[in-house]
Amino acid sequence: GPRFAVFASGSGSNFQAIYDAVRTGRLIGEPVLVVTNKQDAYVVKRAEAVGVETLVLKPTSYSTKDAYEQEILKKLQELQVEWLVLAGYMRLVGNILLDAFPNRIVNIHPSLLPAFPGKDAIGQALKHGVKVTGVTVHLVDAGMDTGPILSQYAVEVVAEDREKTEERIHAVEHELYVKTLQQLWS
Ligand code: GAR
């Protein structure tokens, strides 16, 4: 399976699900690096706990997005990374990484795209009052949560219970991401 890096900015529950799937043989691939733009993100602790190397970079320490991504690219090339797996990475991917990994960057988003792109998709869906939302896995292009869709899964909104809906979406994410990567890489 391919050598891949996971990009994350938050809790890293998707990283954990993917890592666990590799460990238990449900996904064939090698998680060789976690990249984050947030020093205090819990995903760093998760990566350290399982012995996956981390790269923590502060975008504001770089004069341009290109310079920031060049630094990431250097590490990715050193480790011979073949695929980028975005899992709650809350930054737009720029040209340096898009050009280096054409059609080799995957993202997960907690809505049925093209509905509710961007931040807090679950909150957006609940606010809008939709009865069904879901999860999308897609290839990354220069847009915000655009790019060819690989898989989707619908989740019913539990009226008056935001927490239940959120829990269900996250559980679906963990299953759908593993399944989609497994298909993509086999
Ligand atoms: C996930 O719900 C993911 O779909 C979302 O961030 C969360 C990260 O959770 N991504 C986006 O909203 C991308 N636009 P995690 O850190 O526990 O994996």
Side-chain angles (χ1 to χ4, degrees):
R3 296 168 66 80
F4 65 94
V6 175
F7 284 52
S9 308
S11 139
S13 72
N14 280 283
F15 161 73
Q16 189 74 57
I18 290 164
Y19 178 86
D20 291 345
V22 169
R23 193 176 43 80
T24 56
R26 285 178 296 128
L27 175 62
I28 310 301
E30 285 183 64
V32 295
L33 183 69
V34 165
V35 178
T36 187
N37 59 312
K38 293 266 184 218
Q39 196 170 351
D40 55 355
Y42 189 62
V43 70
V44 173
K45 292 227 161 56
R46 292 188 192 265
E48 285 169 357
V50 297
V52 171
E53 188 173 342
T54 57
L55 180 66
V56 182
L57 295 180
K58 216 171 144 189
T60 53
S61 308
Y62 299 83
S63 53
T64 62
K65 191 185 195 82
D66 278 11
Y68 165 70
E69 289 198 342
Q70 283 288 3
E71 192 74 17
I72 298 174
L73 182 57
K74 201 172 74 185
K75 188 75 191 175
L76 296 172
Q77 287 171 339
E78 244 172 64
L79 293 175
Q80 296 179 297
V81 168
E82 301 168 86
W83 281 84
L84 309 187
V85 175
L86 311 189
Y89 181 63
M90 302 311 271
R91 296 189 67 81
L92 266 183
V93 174
N95 285 323
I96 297 292
L97 292 177
L98 286 169
D99 291 349
F101 295 89
N103 291 315
R104 293 286 184 281
I105 309 178
V106 194
N107 182 45
I108 191 161
H109 185 76
S111 76
L112 293 175
L113 289 171
F116 311 124
K119 284 188 182 147
D120 191 23
I122 300 174
Q124 289 184 56
L126 293 173
K127 202 167 160 195
H128 201 92
V130 295
K131 303 303 176 197
V132 177
T133 182
V135 175
T136 302
V137 178
H138 65 96
L139 292 177
V140 172
D141 63 14
M144 165 88 79
D145 300 314
T146 56
I149 291 172
L150 297 173
S151 62
Q152 294 187 302
Y153 198 96
V155 175
E156 209 177 321
V157 174
V158 185
E160 312 297 321
D161 198 341
R162 186 194 173 107
E163 247 170 55
K164 252 203 189 119
T165 302
E166 279 181 351
E167 255 173 49
R168 179 86 183 104
I169 287 175
H170 291 303
V172 165
E173 285 193 317
H174 302 158
E175 287 301 310
L176 191 68
Y177 219 172
V178 167
K179 217 170 117 184
T180 306
L181 290 174
Q182 209 274 327
Q183 282 167 2
L184 194 61
W185 294 342
S186 64

